[in-house]
Amino acid sequence: GTFKNKVKEEVIELIEKNELVYAIGTQNLYTLSPDGAVTKTALSGRTTSATWFLNRLWISTTEGIFSYQAETELLDFVYDINNITALASSPNSLWGVSDEGTLIDIKPTKSFTFDKIASPLSIAPSGLALCVGTEDGIYRIWKGRAEQVEDILGTQDLDVAIYAVAADDKQGCWVAGEDGSIGRLDTKGDASWLKLTDPELPRITKIIPQGDQAWILTESGTWIITLKR
């Protein structure tokens, strides 16, 4: 095979949509087409996160939140929120986490802070819910319900930091704890678990689900695991 260095800066997100690959760097956005062409778009400020929402690319930087459409090659300023450290989306919701540890529900024309969960470590919208990993376990936010915050595992994950969460296609949550526990929680709270027993297990940074399997990215390597049904 061949290898070509298309992007010569640190890439913090790589998103593939509609036959295009978006490489979001710390200072620039690179759009890679199937024929090998690369379009470079300068970003304002330093990039902190990016996600796909409402058929557009959404990018948070130290100057605010921007959206980008490949058809027009225009980068639009959307929000004057310059402290977002993480963005996450589903087909019907967009959330952010600020550097102050505040959850923000971002709408196309307005944003709302959500202060019922403090200092989230990781977030993942899943259907009508939002999975939130914290220093004290996993929670789920259900929008539109009287009891919005669900402590899914109760005392089972007390004092266990959840560094990574991910959504599945059934409104469930994948979670990765600091103790090496990897779990998949369904909408009822039932769970399947597997524990990585490496005594020198590095910090888990991301989960990428694929059905009953998931890629587990850590600070020094990658695992692939399979959970029993």
Side-chain angles (χ1 to χ4, degrees):
T2 60
F3 177 83
K4 295 181 179 179
N5 188 0
K6 296 287 188 179
V7 179
K8 296 183 179 180
E9 70 175 273
E10 179 186 354
V11 173
I12 64 165
E13 293 282 356
L14 198 65
I15 297 173
E16 182 180 6
K17 287 289 181 181
N18 303 327
E19 298 186 348
L20 297 174
V21 174
Y22 299 93
I24 301 96
T26 54
Q27 303 290 335
N28 299 282
L29 164 65
Y30 300 85
T31 306
L32 290 70
S33 62
D35 62 5
V38 179
T39 301
K40 180 179 177 181
T41 304
L43 301 173
S44 298
R46 182 177 176 84
T47 308
T48 57
S49 186
T51 190
W52 188 264
F53 181 58
L54 296 180
N55 294 315
R56 290 180 289 170
L57 187 66
W58 292 64
I59 303 169
S60 62
T61 80
T62 52
E63 297 294 327
I65 298 178
F66 300 80
S67 70
Y68 177 82
Q69 289 183 294
E71 295 84 356
T72 60
E73 297 185 2
L74 292 177
L75 187 71
D76 295 323
F77 182 76
V78 183
Y79 289 114
D80 186 18
I81 305 175
N82 59 12
N83 63 343
I84 296 293
T85 59
L87 287 174
S89 63
S90 69
N92 55 12
S93 64
L94 175 65
W95 290 81
V97 178
S98 76
D99 58 8
E100 298 173 343
T102 302
L103 269 176
I104 302 176
D105 183 6
I106 303 170
K107 303 296 185 185
T109 58
K110 195 174 182 180
S111 62
F112 305 87
T113 58
F114 188 92
D115 56 8
K116 294 183 179 180
I117 295 180
S119 302
L121 300 175
S122 53
I123 58 173
S126 182
L128 299 176
L130 176 72
C131 308
V132 184
T134 74
E135 290 280 2
D136 193 24
I138 179 73
Y139 294 85
R140 189 157 45 194
I141 297 173
W142 293 95
K143 296 172 66 176
R145 294 188 179 184
E147 293 294 331
Q148 288 186 302
V149 179
E150 175 190 7
D151 184 357
I152 307 174
L153 297 176
T155 58
Q156 295 180 53
D157 57 353
L158 188 66
D159 296 328
V160 177
I162 305 297
Y163 288 133
V165 295
D168 64 14
D169 56 1
K170 299 178 181 177
Q171 296 195 96
C173 304
W174 283 81
V175 303
E178 62 180 337
D179 61 351
S181 297
I182 312 294
R184 185 181 185 182
L185 311 174
D186 64 18
T187 54
K188 296 179 181 179
D190 296 329
S192 300
W193 292 98
L194 181 148
K195 190 164 186 176
L196 303 180
T197 56
D198 185 342
E200 297 181 1
L201 180 70
R203 178 167 173 161
I204 296 170
T205 57
K206 193 169 186 177
I207 307 173
I208 305 174
Q210 289 183 324
D212 293 321
Q213 292 186 322
W215 292 90
I216 308 299
L217 280 60
T218 76
E219 291 180 339
S220 63
T222 300
W223 302 64
I224 186 167
I225 67 166
T226 301
L227 293 180
K228 296 180 180 180
R229 290 182 178 272

